[in-house]
C-alpha cells in the first residue's frame, strides 16, 4: 500500500516516511522533468514502493500530446533507482499510455478518468452512474490491451 502526497518534497519527507513505514505504507515520491540529477539521486535513495514520474511541468490535466524528451527524462530517473516507476500527469489517451508503457514500468491516467466521471450525465443532465461505469470500463479495457500490445512489441 502506498500514498502519494503531491506537494511533499524529498527534503521534507522524512517524518512522513517514518510514520508510514511503521504502518508498512510506502510514501510515493514525485520526480519532475526539471529535477536535477542530484535531486533525482536523493529521490531515488529515499523512495519506497515506486517513483511517480511527472510527465510535464505545470499542473496535471488532459494533454493533446506527451512532452518531448519524456523518454530521456525517464532514462535519467532509471539511472538513479532500482525501484519501478510510473509516469503520469498529462497521460490522457490510450495511445499516449501505450507509448509510455514502452519505456516506463507503469502508466497513470488520472485526469482523463476524472473527466469521464465528470461528464457522466444522461441526456437530461442528471447523473448516470451506470453509463459512466460502462465508459470507464471500456476505456480501461482498451488501455490495458494497448499497453499490453506495446509492451509485447518492445
Amino acid at each position: 500500500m502506498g500514498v502519494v502526497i503531491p506537494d511533499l518534497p524529498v527534503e521534507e519527507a522524512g517524518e512522513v516516511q517514518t510514520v508510514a513505514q511503521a504502518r508498512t505504507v510506502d510514501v510515493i515520491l514525485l520526480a519532475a522533468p526539471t529535477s536535477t540529477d542530484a535531486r533525482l539521486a536523493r529521490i531515488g535513495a529515499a523512495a519506497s514502493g515506486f517513483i511517480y514520474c511527472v510527465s510535464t511541468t505545470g499542473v496535471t490535466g488532459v494533454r493533446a500530446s506527451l512532452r518531448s524528451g519524456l523518454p530521456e527524462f525517464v532514462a535519467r530517473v532509471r539511472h538513479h533507482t532500482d525501484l519501478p516507476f510510473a509516469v503520469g500527469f498529462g497521460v490522457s489517451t490510450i495511445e499516449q499510455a501505450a507509448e509510455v508503457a514502452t519505456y516506463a514500468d507503469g502508466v497513470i491516467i488520472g485526469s482523463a478518468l476524472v473527466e469521464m466521471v465528470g461528464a457522466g450525465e444522461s441526456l437530461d443532465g442528471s447523473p448516470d452512474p451506470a453509463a459512466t461505469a460502462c465508459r470507464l470500463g471500456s476505456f480501461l479495457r482498451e488501455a490495458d490491451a494497448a499497453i499490453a500490445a506495446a509492451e509485447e512489441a518492445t
Side-chain angles (χ1 to χ4, degrees):
M1 178 175 8
V3 61
V4 175
I5 306 173
D7 293 326
L8 180 66
V10 65
E11 296 82 5
E12 298 175 20
E15 188 175 336
V16 172
Q17 287 176 310
T18 299
V19 171
Q21 288 168 353
R23 290 161 178 79
T24 64
V25 174
D26 291 310
V27 176
I28 310 306
L29 297 176
L30 278 66
T34 55
S35 297
T36 64
D37 283 334
R39 183 173 181 74
L40 291 176
R42 282 195 304 274
I43 292 167
S48 64
F50 70 93
I51 295 175
Y52 191 133
C53 294
V54 178
S55 72
T56 188
T57 56
V59 296
T60 188
V62 174
R63 302 279 197 288
S65 62
L66 295 170
R67 177 183 179 272
S68 66
L70 184 56
E72 293 80 11
F73 165 58
V74 168
R76 285 179 50 227
V77 173
R78 188 177 300 281
H79 178 74
H80 295 286
T81 186
D82 291 329
L83 287 175
F85 53 87
V87 174
F89 274 62
V91 180
S92 308
T93 67
I94 291 168
E95 295 77 19
Q96 291 170 355
E99 179 184 334
V100 168
T102 65
Y103 50 82
D105 299 311
V107 181
I108 300 169
I109 315 171
S111 296
L113 299 177
V114 170
E115 273 196 7
M116 283 183 213
V117 170
E121 298 178 346
S122 65
L123 292 177
D124 67 2
S126 62
D128 190 347
T132 300
C134 281
R135 279 193 297 277
L136 288 171
S138 176
F139 179 86
L140 292 172
R141 281 188 296 279
E142 287 180 45
D144 184 52
I147 289 167
E151 289 172 337
E152 276 185 31
T154 57

